[in-house]
Amino acid sequence: MKLLIKLRKTVMFFVKAMIIVVVTAGFVDVWYIYYAQTLFSNKGNYVVIFSFLFIFYILSSLYGAFNIGIYRIHEIIYSFSLAVVFTNIFMYLELSLIARDLVAPRPMVLGVLYQVIIVALGSCCANVIYFKMYKARKVVALFSDDAYGFELIKKMSRISERFSVECGLNVAHTDIVQIKRQIDKYEAVVICGIDKNLQKEIMSYCYKNQKRTYLLPDITDIIINNSYEIQISDTPVFMSRNRGLTMEQALFKRIFDIILSVIGLILSSPIMLVCAIAIKLDDGGPILFKQNRITKNGRIFNIYKFRSMIVDADKDGAKKAVNDDDRITRVGKVIRACRVDELPQLFNVLKGDMSMVGPRPERIENVYEYTNAYPEFELRHKVKAGLTGFAQLYGKYNTSPEDKLNMDLMYIETYSLLQDLKLLALTLKILFMKESTEGFDEKANENLRKSNSRKMNDDK
C-alpha cells in the first residue's frame, strides 16, 4: 500500500484509463456483432474506434467524470453515464451515415445499458481506491464571522471523505501566535473572510511550512486572479483591464446568441406547444408569466416563462418559491422539474434582452436588497443576463447572493466563446439534477440579513 500511495497519481490514471477501455470495448463488441454492414475492410475501423474514444473522453472530461474523489460518487456515475449516452448517440448517427440508412437502434440501446453498468461499477471501485490512497485531510478553518465560518464548516463536513474539519477558529478573538500554533497541528487551512493583512501573514506562514490552503475569494481576489502579468522595468505587475467584454467579443457573442436561439426555438417548438396546451387546459389561465428583471447596465426588461404557479400567485406580495410550495400548479411541478418553463426565454435572447450564457437576471427588489448588503453586486451587470451561467451550473437556487456574485464575476473575468460552449454543454448535465431545481431556503440568505442589519446599525 505504501508503494501505491507514492504512485497514487499513476494508479488513478490507470484506473480511469481502464474505465475508458472497457466502455470502448463494449461499444466495439456491439458494433462488430450487430452492425457488420458498417464495418470496413481495412483501417477505416480504427477511425470509428478512435472517434468513440475521443468523444467519450472529451465528454467525460467536460462533465467532470474524472473528478474522482472530488465529486460525490453519484455525481461521478451520472457524469460518466451522460457521456456514455451522448457518445453513443453520436456513434449511432455515424454508423447510420456509413450504412447510408438508419441502423437498428435496439442493440445500441442495450449496449448503452451495459456501458452504464460498467461505469457505475468502475466508478465505485475507483472511488474506493482513491480514498484508500488519499485520506481525508485534517483541516483548521479560520474565519472572523461565526455564522459564515460555521456554514462553511457545515458544507465541508458533508464531504467527510475529503475533509476532516477538526477545528474552527475565530481569528478576530485570537492573536497570531495562537493561530500559528493551531495551524501547526493540521495538514490544511481554510481561510474565510478575514482581515487582508492577517490573511497575508497566515498565507505566508502556510507557504513557508508547506501547509495546503483553501481561500474563499472576495471581489479583489477574483479580479487579481484573472489579471495579466506584465513587467515594468524590473518590477512584476498585475494588470486588470476591468472593461468587461471587448467590442469584438460582444459582437461574436450576439451572433452566437441569435444563431443558437433560432435553432433552440425551432427544435423546442413541439415541446413549447405541448406545454402551452397543458397550462391552458389545467386552469384556463394565461400561458406565459412575465416579470421585470434587470440585465446589462441595470436595464429593466420583461422576462418570459411558462406559468408554473396559480394565477395571481404574488397578489399578497412577491414571495420566493419554496419546496412543496402550494402555489405551484400540477403542470408547473412537471415543467419546473424538467426546466422547460425557461424555454420562452429563447425569445428574450433573440430580442437581445438576454444572452445564452451570463449572470441569471434577478428581480428588481432582489437587486436592491442584495446591492444594499453588497454594493459590488451591481458589477454582475457589466454583461447581459443569461439563460445559464456559472451560478446556475455550480450553485443552487438557494445559493447566497455573495456566492452567486463571485461566480458571476468569475465568468465575466474569464469570458471566451469556447467557455460559453462549455457552459452550454454542462447545462445538459444539470437539467435532471435535483439540486438545480430546489426551492428557496430561508437560511441561505441569513448572512445577507445580518449584513443588512449591520449596515443599518452603522448608518444610525
Side-chain angles (χ1 to χ4, degrees):
M1 181 56 73
K2 289 183 179 179
L3 178 62
L4 289 180
I5 290 175
K6 289 182 180 179
L7 301 173
R8 50 194 178 185
K9 288 187 178 179
T10 305
V11 171
M12 290 309 301
F13 170 80
F14 279 109
V15 169
K16 295 170 186 176
M18 186 59 66
I19 294 174
I20 293 175
V21 169
V22 175
V23 169
T24 304
F27 163 75
V28 172
D29 192 39
V30 171
W31 176 34
Y32 270 70
I33 295 174
Y34 297 101
Y35 300 109
Q37 72 272 30
T38 64
L39 292 172
F40 292 92
S41 58
N42 208 330
K43 296 180 180 180
N45 293 328
Y46 294 117
V47 176
V48 177
I49 295 171
F50 174 78
S51 62
F52 182 94
L53 271 169
F54 179 76
I55 296 168
F56 181 62
Y57 174 78
I58 292 297
L59 290 177
S60 297
S61 300
L62 178 65
Y63 291 133
F66 297 127
N67 291 333
I68 297 167
I70 299 174
Y71 286 0
R72 291 169 292 181
I73 184 62
H74 75 272
E75 291 178 298
I76 296 295
I77 294 173
Y78 175 67
S79 299
F80 264 132
S81 300
L82 207 59
V84 162
V85 170
F86 287 133
T87 302
N88 279 278
I89 289 173
F90 182 89
M91 296 311 299
Y92 174 79
L93 296 174
E94 183 175 327
L95 294 182
S96 295
L97 284 173
I98 295 171
R100 297 185 180 182
D101 191 15
L102 288 177
V103 296
R106 188 171 180 272
M108 190 73 79
V109 172
L110 294 175
V112 168
L113 294 176
Y114 165 76
Q115 290 169 331
V116 168
I117 293 171
I118 291 299
V119 297
L121 294 174
S123 299
C124 291
C125 292
N127 204 55
V128 171
I129 294 170
Y130 180 93
F131 287 112
K132 285 288 184 182
M133 297 187 296
Y134 291 86
K135 301 297 183 182
R137 293 184 183 276
K138 295 180 180 179
V139 178
V140 56
L142 306 179
F143 48 85
S144 56
D145 182 286
D146 285 344
Y148 198 31
F150 291 144
E151 181 63 26
L152 174 63
I153 292 173
K154 181 181 175 182
K155 288 180 180 179
M156 296 184 73
S157 298
R158 292 174 187 154
I159 319 172
S160 56
E161 301 91 346
R162 290 186 63 205
F163 304 109
S164 175
V165 186
E166 300 190 354
C167 177
L169 190 63
N170 190 323
V171 296
H173 311 300
T174 314
D175 64 58
I176 188 62
V177 176
Q178 290 177 302
I179 294 171
K180 290 179 179 179
R181 284 176 184 167
Q182 287 294 330
I183 291 173
D184 290 337
K185 299 177 184 178
Y186 302 98
E187 300 172 273
V189 180
V190 177
I191 302 172
C192 169
I194 67 176
D195 176 77
K196 285 293 182 182
N197 290 326
L198 181 59
Q199 176 180 305
K200 177 183 175 183
E201 188 168 356
I202 290 172
M203 292 194 72
S204 297
Y205 185 78
C206 290
Y207 185 81
K208 178 182 177 182
N209 292 277
Q210 298 182 343
K211 300 287 185 180
R212 179 169 294 199
T213 56
Y214 300 90
L215 174 68
L216 269 70
D218 60 15
I219 305 301
T220 305
D221 297 321
I222 293 170
I223 294 173
I224 291 175
N225 184 58
N226 296 288
S227 59
Y228 296 87
E229 300 175 19
I230 64 172
Q231 288 287 137
I232 298 180
S233 185
D234 58 350
T235 302
V237 175
F238 284 152
M239 178 192 70
S240 299
R241 290 199 171 98
N242 300 327
R243 64 185 183 188
L245 274 58
T246 65
M247 186 179 295
E248 294 82 3
Q249 287 175 328
L251 176 62
F252 282 116
K253 189 173 175 65
R254 180 60 186 144
I255 294 172
F256 179 71
D257 287 339
I258 292 173
I259 293 172
L260 284 191
S261 60
V262 170
I263 293 173
L265 285 168
I266 293 171
L267 294 178
S268 65
S269 56
I271 299 173
M272 289 200 283
L273 179 61
V274 171
C275 286
I277 294 172
I279 292 168
K280 201 67 179 176
L281 291 176
D282 187 35
D283 62 7
I287 294 169
L288 291 179
F289 169 76
K290 300 177 185 178
Q291 190 177 64
N292 284 338
R293 298 288 178 99
I294 294 184
T295 187
K296 184 178 179 181
N297 297 327
R299 185 171 69 84
I300 299 173
F301 74 102
N302 256 331
I303 194 172
Y304 304 133
K305 287 186 178 186
F306 282 125
R307 183 175 59 84
S308 60
M309 289 189 174
I310 59 175
V311 179
D312 296 328
D314 290 338
K315 64 180 180 180
D316 297 324
K319 292 185 294 183
K320 298 179 176 70
V322 297
N323 291 323
D324 300 321
D325 197 317
D326 57 9
R327 296 174 299 161
I328 300 175
T329 64
R330 291 174 299 175
V331 173
K333 289 177 182 178
V334 176
I335 64 175
R336 286 169 74 96
C338 299
R339 304 297 288 270
V340 296
D341 61 320
E342 312 278 357
L343 286 177
Q345 287 164 49
L346 289 169
F347 289 106
N348 287 120
V349 175
L350 190 59
K351 286 174 60 181
D353 296 327
M354 295 172 62
S355 180
M356 293 298 293
V357 183
R360 193 70 185 137
E362 292 284 353
R363 289 156 55 154
I364 297 173
E365 56 269 27
N366 287 354
V367 172
Y368 290 157
E369 181 184 4
Y370 299 159
T371 306
N372 187 49
Y374 311 115
E376 301 89 352
F377 193 79
E378 65 180 3
L379 296 177
R380 66 199 297 274
H381 298 139
K382 293 182 74 172
V383 297
K384 284 182 184 178
L387 271 174
T388 188
F390 267 31
Q392 289 72 52
L393 293 171
Y394 302 112
K396 301 178 182 179
Y397 184 67
N398 51 28
T399 297
S400 72
E402 190 171 16
D403 285 338
K404 284 182 180 180
L405 169 62
N406 287 344
M407 286 187 278
D408 288 332
L409 288 181
M410 286 178 183
Y411 167 74
I412 294 170
E413 289 298 311
T414 60
Y415 170 78
S416 71
L417 195 58
L418 183 62
Q419 180 175 255
D420 272 8
L421 288 169
K422 176 183 176 181
L423 294 175
L424 285 170
L426 281 170
T427 301
L428 295 173
K429 176 182 174 180
I430 69 161
L431 285 178
F432 305 105
M433 293 178 69
K434 185 174 184 266
E435 291 95 333
S436 65
T437 57
E438 283 180 339
F440 184 76
D441 182 357
E442 287 295 337
K443 293 181 180 178
N445 281 3
E446 187 173 340
N447 288 333
L448 174 66
R449 290 193 294 271
K450 289 184 177 180
S451 178
N452 271 328
S453 178
R454 285 196 298 268
K455 185 177 179 66
M456 290 174 65
N457 290 333
D458 292 342
D459 291 340
K460 289 180 180 179

